[in-house]
Amino acid sequence: KISDDKAKKISSLLLLGERAFRRKEYDKALRYFDDVLELDPGNKDAENNVSEISKQLELEQAAKQIESDLNRAVELYRNKKYMEAHIMLKDIIKRVPDNAKAKKYLMLCSKAVEKKEYLDTLWEDANRLYAKRDYEKARVKYADILALDSDNKSAMDMLNRCEDKIDVMKKKKVSSLIVKARKAYRSGEYQKALDYFDKVLELDPSNKEADREIVEINKKMGDIIIPIIVHNKFCLLYTSP
C-alpha cells in the first residue's frame, strides 16, 4: 500500500507531467512520469502517458521526415530532375495520401515527364532527318522543340546548322539553274531559259541576274514573235480566195 505522502507526491508528479505533455514539453513530461514509475512501477496513468508521448514523438518525427522529403522532391523538380522527384512524391503520398503539396508537385512532375518524353522523341526524329540530309523537315522538328523549350541550346544550334545547310543547297541549286538557263539562252531555247530563270526567282526572289535576263528574254521573244505574227497575217491575206 502506498503511503499518503507518496500518493501525494505521485499525484503532484502526474499533474506536472500532464501539464508538460499538453505544452508539448515532452522531455520534461517524460522525466515526471519516470519519477512516478520509480515511486510506483505499475502506475497505469504514468505508463499510458509515456506510451502516448512515444506515439506523439513518432508522429512528429514522421511529419518532419515528410517535410524534409517533400522539400527535397520540390528541389529536384525545380532542377528538372523529374523522374527522381516523381518517385519521391509517390512515396510521400503513399505515406500521407492527403498531402496537397505532394499531390500538386506530382501532377507537375507527370506533365513534365510527358513533355520531356515528347521532346526526346522530337529530338530523335530531328536528328534522324538531319543525318538523312532532309534539312527542311529537320528544321521544322528543331523549331517544334524550341517552341516547347525555348532555352534548349542544342536544338537552337541544330536549327542554325539546318538553315546554313539549306542556304548552301539553295545557292547550289540557284547556280545550277542559272547555268542551265544561260545554256538554253545561247541555244536559242528562250522559253526553256525563261522557265529556268523563273525557278531561280522562286528560290531567290532578289536575284538581279534572273530579273535582268527575264526582261531580256521576253524582249527577245517579242522580237521574234511579232515578225512571225505579221508574216502569218500576210500569208493569210494573200492566200485567201
Side-chain angles (χ1 to χ4, degrees), residues 12-25:
S12 176
L13 288 169
L14 283 171
L15 186 62
L16 290 169
E18 288 167 358
R19 187 180 297 166
F21 189 5
R22 287 194 297 272
R23 292 174 180 172
K24 297 186 178 181
E25 297 172 342

Side-chain angles (χ1 to χ4, degrees), residues 157-179:
D157 178 59
M158 292 305 295
L159 179 65
N160 290 335
R161 289 190 191 186
C162 284
E163 289 176 346
D164 289 342
K165 293 286 187 182
I166 291 167
D167 189 53
V168 169
M169 290 176 68
K170 186 187 289 184
K171 286 177 180 176
K172 286 182 179 179
K173 182 70 174 175
V174 166
S175 295
S176 174
L177 287 168
I178 287 175
V179 169

Side-chain angles (χ1 to χ4, degrees), residues 50-211:
V50 168
S51 177
E52 287 298 316
I53 290 172
S54 296
K55 289 178 183 177
Q56 191 63 36
L57 287 171
E58 286 176 7
L59 286 172
E60 291 191 3
Q61 183 58 39
K64 286 180 182 177
Q65 188 61 53
I66 291 289
E67 187 65 24
S68 175
D69 290 347
L70 186 51
N71 289 337
R72 175 61 181 153
V74 171
E75 183 182 357
L76 288 168
Y77 170 79
R78 288 172 179 166
N79 290 329
K80 298 185 178 182
K81 295 180 180 179
Y82 304 121
M83 286 305 299
E84 293 177 53
H86 193 272
I87 291 168
M88 284 195 74
L89 289 162
K90 284 190 76 175
D91 180 63
I92 291 168
I93 291 171
K94 187 177 179 181
R95 286 179 279 162
V96 190
D98 60 346
N99 190 299
K101 188 174 181 181
K103 286 181 177 180
K104 171 190 171 183
Y105 276 95
L106 182 64
M107 181 183 67
L108 291 172
C109 276
S110 297
K111 289 181 179 179
V113 168
E114 289 176 9
K115 179 181 175 181
K116 186 178 183 303
E117 288 174 351
Y118 180 58
L119 286 170
D120 288 344
T121 300
L122 282 176
W123 179 253
E124 289 173 8
D125 291 346
N127 288 341
R128 186 181 67 254
L129 290 165
Y130 185 88
K132 290 169 65 177
R133 298 184 181 183
D134 193 343
Y135 303 120
E136 288 284 359
K137 288 183 180 178
R139 178 174 64 176
V140 171
K141 294 287 184 181
Y142 290 124
D144 287 344
I145 292 171
L146 288 168
L148 294 170
D149 182 10
S150 58
D151 295 328
N152 193 313
K153 293 181 180 178
S154 297
M156 179 60 74
D157 178 59
M158 292 305 295
L159 179 65
N160 290 335
R161 289 190 191 186
C162 284
E163 289 176 346
D164 289 342
K165 293 286 187 182
I166 291 167
D167 189 53
V168 169
M169 290 176 68
K170 186 187 289 184
K171 286 177 180 176
K172 286 182 179 179
K173 182 70 174 175
V174 166
S175 295
S176 174
L177 287 168
I178 287 175
V179 169
K180 290 177 180 179
R182 288 172 180 168
K183 184 177 179 182
Y185 181 81
R186 288 194 299 271
S187 301
E189 299 175 271
Y190 300 126
Q191 186 57 54
K192 198 172 185 179
L194 193 62
D195 291 341
Y196 283 132
F197 281 123
D198 282 338
K199 288 178 182 178
V200 168
L201 289 177
E202 287 177 12
L203 294 170
D204 181 12
S206 62
N207 191 287
K208 292 180 180 180
E209 180 178 355
D211 276 332

